[in-house]
Amino acid sequence: MASDSPETLMALCTDYCLRNLEGTLCYLLDNETLRLHPDIFLPSEICDKLVNEYVELVKTDSIFEPHESFFTLFSDPRSTRLARIHLREQIVQDQDLEAIRKQDLVELYLTNCEKLTAKSLQTLVSFSHTLISLSLFGCCNIFYEEENPGGCEDDCLVNPTRQVLVKDFTFEGFSRLRFLNLGRLIEGVNVETLLRPLASLAALDLSGIQLNDVGFLTQWKDSLVSLVLYNMDLSEEHIQVIAQLRKLRHLDISRDHLSSYYKFKLTRRVLNLFVENLVNLTSLDISGHTMLENCTIPSMEEKMGQTSIEPAKSSIAPFRGLKRPLQFLGLFETSLCRLTHIPAYKVSGDKNEEQVLNAIEAYTEHRPEITSRAINLLFDIARIERCSQLLRALQLVITALRCHKDDKNIQVTGSAALFYLTNSEYRMEQSVKLRRQVIQVVLNGMESYQEVTVQRNCCLTLCNFSIPEELEFQYRRVNELLLNILNQSRQDESIQRIAVHLCNALVCQVDNDHKEAVGKMGFVMTMLKLIQKKLADKTCDQVMEFSWSALWNITDETPDNCEMFLNYSGMKLFLECLKEFPEKQELHRNMLGLLGNVAEVKELRPQLMTSQFISVFSNLLESKADGIEVSYNACGVLSHIMFDGPEAWGICEPHREEVVKRMWAAIQSWDINSRRNINYRSFEPILRLLPQGISPVSQHWATWALYNLVSVYPDKYCPLLIKEGGIPLLKDMIKMASARQETKEMARKVIEHCSNFKEENMDTSR
């Protein structure tokens, strides 16, 4: 299960070694085959952990690269020892088991390993003298072998290989085997013949197998303590056999009530039979059963007194004969779970949060169809009520999503539940580790399913996190997934909106190397394509505005991304948007903010020096859109262009002096106390405009910007200006003969604000 406790040193070392096999335990032979260093000996405690964690990483971490020769590292028991390993799904093939056949395995759990064939049955024989626990659950091809009916190469072209059922394999020689899971065994295998050689089975799971005669089970009536017959259509004969297994402590005859029509109905007499004969029973699962006759006591009596688990007060009449309460009682999707007095410490059902969590916990490993419905009930609880066992609920959902990465139903219900379990109401109760586990399973879901519901649920869940901070540890991966969503030809409008919002948040307030990396992934092109599509539809919505905002953020102090914007016809789209949506103030602010970033790059400014662009920027100086923001950003673009001097003004119209005059007028019209819709991480692009005399208006714009920011937001911007060396630059500028008097006055006020801020925040404590 997912854990909220700190990682052990063992877990951290195992993870590191698996991710760096060549640099730690192994070397590469012939540049392709992994080999263990000859001086290494690893005990079973370490080897088991390495193998089991390797399987988990391959299954749940898309970044982790599997190694074709991994299992061969454990081929020699003189250097490595394996005892207890759990292998699952497509990760394991016949040659992998063959590689470890010399190991003395005690436990071997193979779960849904569909690539295993009858070749692996022969490998199992190698473990027969030591094996105590074996699971072949869902290994649907392990009793099939390939047969070529032609028998020669020429005939292979005409008669390709076919799958033939192996019928002569038995567990002969598995003398120590006590625990066996054959769940979902393929039809046609004779279970009785297969199992007859086993002398003293203690636990047997025959889930999903239809057997008309189970009389052979009585051969273990003195040893069998656990029997699972999930989804077996029972009969009176089955019940009579079960009643003879008097050593049973755990009995599971549950079923999926949606899977098919069952003739058998559970009666009061059957439950009485179990209670009377199976006196050692501590765990019983009858989930999904329809009751033919009433097993409950009268309603008035049932609701009397405080809730009790004492058998004598049981609301289920047959259980009044129990000598003690059961440790576990499975009542999921039965009416019995809603009764008042249930004689069990732990109950699975759908009555309340506790029962639902018990159901998820009990059924996740082998019953995804049941688990999905249980998680759906948890989703309703988290959505409508407050979840009282948040930590447990989150851990169970994470485990289910990891375990069934390729099960669509669990991915849909699980991702929906996570959205409510990670919202702000629960945030204080969640550790960094747990929230990272949530992010990883959400990204797994996004990778595995392009289906609309899963994608929407996952994107919405990511919105519950602090972005970019909480997503930085998976930064590249999450950006790639979001861009993949946005690049799909057929898009759901709501997912598109959420994905663009997330993309924008991810490139805001991150280091430039992050922005450059995301730019190389195709971020700029993706945003421009979205803008182009919205333009074609003549639609200015959140997607359009977020796309421009995202471009503004990703080009901030990142010249490569600015260049991409220009190379991909960004200026053409800017002009078209300006023309198509003249009243959209937020859009204008975002576009001008982006062009301000482009104008900061000296090498790119010549591309802005056209009559058309300069005229547009000049006209926007008089814009009142979004307070002063559009006018301010337009003036910023022009300030950087002016900074290159008169010789760089390569156009006849408009005249440079005319534009300068309009810039002065715009700056003088702004309210110095304006609250800003802007966020500076650095003043470097502004400060570079101060120590120069070639463009006094650029110098004045930069000084005004600093004065406004340190006046309105002193706590944020006074320290930033001091840290980046702005005060000496302002003092030097005041001494410059070319600087305007009003610019110098403003510079003095900036210095004064910062000086006062330092004094007010000086630490005078001793």
Side-chain angles (χ1 to χ4, degrees):
M1 181 184 284
S3 168
D4 199 31
S5 57
E7 294 286 7
T8 63
L9 182 58
M10 174 75 156
L12 292 170
C13 291
T14 303
D15 185 78
Y16 182 80
C17 287
L18 287 170
R19 294 179 188 277
N20 302 276
L21 280 171
E22 197 181 334
T24 54
L25 305 173
C26 305
Y27 66 95
L28 267 186
L29 181 68
D30 303 327
N31 289 323
E32 56 180 52
T33 308
L34 277 174
R35 285 286 183 268
L36 210 61
H37 283 298
D39 55 347
I40 284 179
F41 172 79
L42 300 174
S44 60
E45 292 83 0
I46 292 176
C47 292
D48 292 349
K49 186 81 174 169
L50 283 167
V51 169
N52 295 333
E53 186 60 26
Y54 171 82
V55 171
E56 186 67 18
L57 282 173
V58 173
K59 190 172 187 300
T60 61
D61 190 339
S62 63
I63 300 167
F64 183 77
E65 286 288 331
H67 297 275
E68 195 172 316
S69 55
F70 176 78
F71 286 91
T72 62
L73 300 177
F74 306 91
S75 60
D76 188 351
R78 291 172 299 182
S79 56
T80 55
R81 294 281 173 83
L82 289 173
R84 295 172 171 83
I85 57 172
H86 298 213
L87 312 177
R88 48 172 62 246
E89 298 175 17
Q90 313 299 327
I91 300 162
V92 189
Q93 302 186 43
D94 291 324
Q95 60 265 33
D96 299 322
L97 274 190
E98 172 68 18
I100 60 170
R101 63 186 171 79
K102 292 180 182 177
Q103 295 286 352
D104 292 335
L105 292 184
V106 176
E107 277 181 18
L108 175 59
Y109 291 169
L110 302 171
T111 304
N112 295 321
C113 298
E114 296 181 3
K115 288 194 173 181
L116 296 183
T117 71
K119 290 177 184 175
S120 287
L121 288 179
Q122 300 313 310
T123 307
L124 288 182
V125 176
S126 305
F127 311 128
S128 61
H129 61 291
T130 55
L131 213 54
I132 293 174
S133 295
L134 173 66
S135 172
L136 301 179
F137 182 89
C139 298
C140 56
N141 295 312
I142 201 165
F143 279 88
Y144 279 111
E145 64 182 354
E146 290 185 352
E147 180 186 84
N148 179 2
C152 69
E153 287 186 25
D154 292 336
D155 284 343
C156 289
L157 301 173
V158 183
N159 300 305
T161 56
R162 63 181 182 182
Q163 300 294 325
V164 178
L165 192 64
V166 172
K167 296 186 178 181
D168 58 354
F169 177 84
T170 72
F171 286 109
E172 187 72 48
F174 287 73
S175 57
R176 301 186 65 190
L177 198 61
R178 298 289 179 272
F179 306 91
L180 180 61
N181 186 337
L182 295 176
R184 298 189 180 169
L185 185 69
I186 198 74
E187 281 185 36
V189 177
N190 189 316
V191 177
E192 182 178 353
T193 304
L194 182 70
L195 300 181
R196 189 179 295 123
L198 298 175
S200 48
L201 268 184
L204 180 62
D205 189 327
L206 299 175
S207 295
I209 303 172
Q210 299 307 321
L211 297 174
N212 295 325
D213 182 7
V214 292
F216 64 90
L217 294 176
T218 56
Q219 68 182 297
W220 302 297
K221 65 182 178 182
D222 294 324
S223 64
L224 205 62
V225 294
S226 174
L227 179 63
V228 179
L229 303 177
Y230 169 68
N231 263 356
M232 186 181 289
D233 195 9
L234 303 172
S235 66
E236 182 60 32
E237 289 74 20
H238 290 83
I239 300 302
Q240 293 302 322
V241 170
I242 292 169
Q244 295 177 55
L245 307 175
R246 295 176 182 270
K247 298 282 188 178
L248 279 183
R249 293 201 293 269
H250 170 63
L251 173 62
D252 183 345
I253 56 167
S254 62
R255 66 191 191 192
D256 177 5
H257 79 288
L258 296 182
S259 65
S260 61
Y261 174 74
Y262 292 100
K263 297 181 285 296
F264 180 78
K265 301 289 193 294
L266 201 57
T267 65
R268 185 169 182 157
R269 184 190 63 78
V270 171
L271 291 181
N272 276 326
L273 193 66
F274 288 164
V275 171
E276 289 166 12
N277 289 276
L278 308 179
V279 294
N280 296 309
L281 214 56
T282 60
S283 171
L284 175 65
D285 202 331
I286 55 173
S287 297
H289 274 281
T290 305
M291 306 298 167
L292 187 63
E293 56 187 65
N294 195 358
C295 293
T296 62
I297 61 167
S299 180
M300 291 294 290
E301 184 185 345
E302 194 264 326
K303 291 177 179 170
M304 287 174 61
Q306 280 191 315
T307 304
S308 172
I309 64 167
E310 287 303 314
K313 297 180 180 178
S314 172
S315 301
I316 307 167
F319 293 154
R320 289 193 166 188
L322 289 169
K323 291 183 173 60
R324 66 194 73 81
L326 294 168
Q327 293 296 318
F328 174 82
L329 180 56
L331 299 176
F332 189 69
E333 295 181 324
T334 72
S335 57
L336 300 182
C337 71
R338 298 182 189 89
L339 297 172
T340 306
H341 309 295
I342 301 175
Y345 293 103
K346 185 179 277 192
V347 178
S348 72
D350 50 33
K351 178 183 179 181
N352 52 37
E353 182 183 341
E354 174 69 20
Q355 287 189 1
V356 169
L357 293 178
N358 290 341
I360 299 171
E361 188 172 66
Y363 308 129
T364 288
E365 177 72 12
H366 292 131
R367 303 178 193 177
E369 63 281 1
I370 308 289
T371 306
S372 174
R373 300 203 290 272
I375 293 175
N376 204 38
L377 292 168
L378 178 63
F379 162 75
D380 285 333
I381 292 166
R383 180 172 58 92
I384 299 165
E385 311 164 26
R386 180 173 172 83
C387 198
S388 61
Q389 298 183 56
L390 173 71
L391 187 62
R392 185 183 175 209
L394 258 180
Q395 290 171 332
L396 286 170
V397 174
I398 290 169
T399 300
L401 286 166
R402 278 179 176 169
C403 191
H404 300 288
K405 186 180 172 185
D406 301 319
D407 187 292
K408 179 185 167 185
N409 289 332
I410 283 188
Q411 292 299 319
V412 169
T413 56
S415 57
L418 285 182
F419 171 70
Y420 286 100
L421 292 170
T422 55
N423 66 24
S424 55
E425 182 185 359
Y426 297 119
R427 183 160 188 169
M428 295 303 292
E429 301 172 47
Q430 297 165 11
S431 68
V432 171
K433 179 183 175 184
L434 196 62
R435 287 176 74 79
R436 283 191 168 194
Q437 289 173 341
V438 171
I439 290 165
Q440 285 173 319
V441 294
V442 163
L443 298 182
N444 286 346
M446 290 172 72
E447 270 171 350
S448 299
Y449 284 95
Q450 304 304 316
E451 200 270 338
V452 170
T453 311
V454 174
Q455 296 278 350
R456 186 188 297 114
N457 290 349
C458 290
C459 285
L460 284 170
T461 300
L462 291 177
C463 291
N464 286 338
F465 292 81
S466 296
I467 303 170
E469 298 83 6
E470 288 191 283
L471 299 183
E472 266 200 274
F473 80 106
Q474 295 275 291
Y475 194 76
R476 182 178 186 85
R477 185 181 178 202
V478 71
N479 273 292
E480 284 176 342
L481 286 167
L482 290 169
L483 291 177
N484 183 51
I485 288 172
L486 292 172
N487 282 317
Q488 290 167 13
S489 54
R490 305 176 82 180
Q491 292 173 346
D492 177 87
E493 195 71 27
S494 63
I495 297 177
Q496 189 184 66
R497 186 170 61 252
I498 302 161
V500 175
H501 162 72
L502 285 167
C503 280
N504 188 20
L506 279 162
V507 293
C508 184
Q509 300 298 301
V510 292
D511 295 337
N512 291 353
D513 56 345
H514 277 336
K515 293 181 182 180
E516 286 173 7
V518 174
K520 289 185 175 77
M521 289 180 207
F523 187 100
V524 175
M525 172 70 89
T526 300
M527 294 303 143
L528 289 172
K529 280 182 180 175
L530 290 173
I531 291 165
Q532 196 166 29
K533 189 175 185 306
K534 291 296 176 183
L535 253 176
D537 296 340
K538 299 187 183 303
T539 304
C540 183
D541 56 6
Q542 284 186 316
V543 171
M544 170 73 94
E545 290 180 359
F546 283 153
S547 297
W548 278 108
S549 179
L551 288 170
W552 182 4
N553 283 318
I554 202 172
T555 53
D556 181 33
E557 296 185 54
T558 316
D560 286 355
N561 292 341
C562 293
E563 187 174 9
M564 276 189 226
F565 170 78
L566 294 178
N567 291 344
Y568 297 148
S569 306
M571 291 303 293
K572 178 173 178 287
L573 287 176
F574 160 67
L575 294 174
E576 288 174 358
C577 285
L578 208 58
K579 181 181 178 182
E580 186 65 44
F581 310 111
E583 305 302 320
K584 294 291 183 178
Q585 299 187 9
E586 179 84 3
L587 181 68
H588 293 185
R589 178 180 74 87
N590 293 343
M591 292 194 299
L592 266 295
L594 156 64
L595 293 180
N597 292 337
V598 176
E600 289 171 6
V601 184
K602 181 177 176 61
E603 296 76 18
L604 301 180
R605 285 199 285 270
Q607 295 189 52
L608 302 179
M609 182 53 71
T610 70
S611 294
Q612 184 182 28
F613 293 156
I614 299 298
S615 296
V616 168
F617 299 144
S618 301
N619 291 335
L620 287 170
L621 287 168
E622 288 150 27
S623 170
K624 302 300 178 197
D626 201 18
I628 68 165
E629 296 303 331
V630 171
S631 177
Y632 170 87
N633 283 326
C635 199
V637 172
L638 291 167
S639 292
H640 288 288
I641 291 171
M642 293 293 173
F643 178 61
D644 291 334
E647 65 276 9
W649 197 266
I651 54 173
C652 298
E653 292 290 335
H655 294 297
R656 188 173 188 273
E657 294 72 22
E658 178 193 331
V659 176
V660 168
K661 187 177 177 183
R662 293 178 74 174
M663 288 169 69
W664 280 110
I667 297 169
Q668 285 160 353
S669 73
W670 301 336
D671 179 1
I672 198 65
N673 296 312
S674 296
R675 299 198 70 80
R676 307 301 307 286
N677 206 343
I678 200 165
N679 185 21
Y680 283 101
R681 290 189 305 131
S682 168
F683 282 145
E684 196 277 327
I686 293 176
L687 294 177
R688 74 171 76 128
L689 299 178
L690 293 179
Q692 51 90 23
I694 201 162
S695 176
V697 71
S698 303
Q699 197 176 51
H700 191 69
W701 174 83
T703 310
W704 189 98
L706 295 173
Y707 184 28
N708 164 255
L709 293 167
V710 299
S711 302
V712 180
Y713 308 102
D715 291 348
K716 179 174 183 180
Y717 290 117
C718 285
L720 182 62
L721 184 60
I722 295 166
K723 178 187 169 188
E724 296 195 336
I727 303 302
L729 288 174
L730 287 165
K731 286 179 178 177
D732 289 346
M733 188 261 285
I734 290 169
K735 298 173 187 173
M736 290 175 64
S738 60
R740 293 269 287 256
Q741 195 58 39
E742 56 197 297
T743 308
K744 294 180 180 182
E745 283 301 313
M746 202 174 279
R748 290 189 185 97
K749 290 177 182 176
V750 174
I751 295 168
E752 186 181 339
H753 261 89
C754 289
S755 178
N756 291 342
F757 176 83
K758 278 181 75 174
E759 287 177 16
E760 287 170 13
N761 290 275
M762 192 176 293
D763 187 358
T764 57
S765 61
R766 290 182 182 273

